[in-house]
Amino acid sequence: MKALKGATPITARPGSLLPDADLAAHREEAEKSCGRAIDEAEFSAYLMYPKIFTEFVALQRKYGPVSVLPTPVFYGMKIGDEVTLEIERGKMLVVQLTAVGEAREDGQVEIFFELNGQPCVIIAPDRAAAASVKTRPNAESGNSAHIVAPIPGAVSTINVVKDHHVVRSTRRNDRRAARRVRYASRSTDQSIEPTQKRDA
């Protein structure tokens, strides 16, 4: 009674007290948030932990089958550590961390390791420096409102300022703009031509 603080104890199976759920709608929502079809085990995980499961699927999409990593390796290896990973039935990878470089200005570090005896290097964000490095927001995977740039680039000029009226580009507007440019160029040519003759 002290633990319940006066509440009525539950004597039935807790799951039996839950309201009925539309499993078809939940599955559609789960597959939309994950961006792929999911099996029954994954669907059960989504029903119990929707936010955590969605984040895990996004992590897998970015880094691959992270579920094969032992927990200590998942949170980071130490220099000299070696681990054997079975990524498929009968397919093993032996990974040994050999060195970690210094953090660069952009918060990235070079990580040196051996993969099945072959030296490799990758660039990864430094967790310690991530908080102090300014990063630009990236497009969210699965967000149709975000447009992903196919190649990295920089904004050279911005031709509008606050409160400017911007017209959506259409073929009709483009033709009008082209006519204005041609008319302006003809007017300029006509005004310059007599001067050029006199100079000649």
Side-chain angles (χ1 to χ4, degrees), residues 163-181:
D163 298 328
H164 266 190
H165 178 67
V166 180
V167 180
R168 181 180 177 183
S169 176
T170 63
R171 289 185 177 180
R172 186 174 181 181
N173 290 339
D174 292 343
R175 286 196 298 268
R176 287 178 178 174
R179 282 198 297 269
R180 284 197 295 269
V181 170

Side-chain angles (χ1 to χ4, degrees), residues 70-125:
T71 301
V73 174
F74 185 84
Y75 288 103
M77 298 172 65
K78 295 179 180 179
I79 296 175
D81 285 354
E82 182 178 294
V83 62
T84 302
L85 307 173
E86 185 176 9
I87 58 173
E88 293 178 10
R89 185 178 178 85
K91 187 174 182 180
M92 313 293 289
L93 292 179
V94 180
V95 181
Q96 182 181 27
L97 180 64
T98 55
V100 177
E102 295 293 329
R104 306 186 313 198
E105 292 182 359
D106 59 356
Q108 305 288 317
V109 293
E110 288 183 322
I111 300 175
F112 302 87
F113 62 98
E114 288 186 359
L115 183 64
N116 290 346
Q118 298 296 319
C120 300
V121 59
I122 61 171
I123 297 175

Side-chain angles (χ1 to χ4, degrees), residues 36 55-69 74 85 87 93:
R36 62 173 175 82
E55 291 175 352
F56 177 71
V57 170
L59 189 74
Q60 281 189 315
R61 188 184 303 117
K62 185 175 182 179
Y63 295 108
V66 294
S67 58
V68 303
L69 299 176
F74 185 84
L85 307 173
I87 58 173
L93 292 179

Side-chain angles (χ1 to χ4, degrees), residues 12-76:
R13 186 175 63 86
S16 66
L17 305 177
L18 293 173
D20 293 339
D22 186 347
L23 294 181
H26 281 302
R27 178 178 285 277
E28 183 179 350
E29 179 184 338
E31 292 183 347
K32 183 178 179 181
S33 63
C34 295
R36 62 173 175 82
I38 58 176
D39 58 26
E40 290 300 319
E42 291 176 321
F43 185 43
S44 298
Y46 175 84
L47 291 174
M48 291 184 287
Y49 311 103
K51 185 175 184 296
I52 294 175
F53 179 75
T54 304
E55 291 175 352
F56 177 71
V57 170
L59 189 74
Q60 281 189 315
R61 188 184 303 117
K62 185 175 182 179
Y63 295 108
V66 294
S67 58
V68 303
L69 299 176
T71 301
V73 174
F74 185 84
Y75 288 103

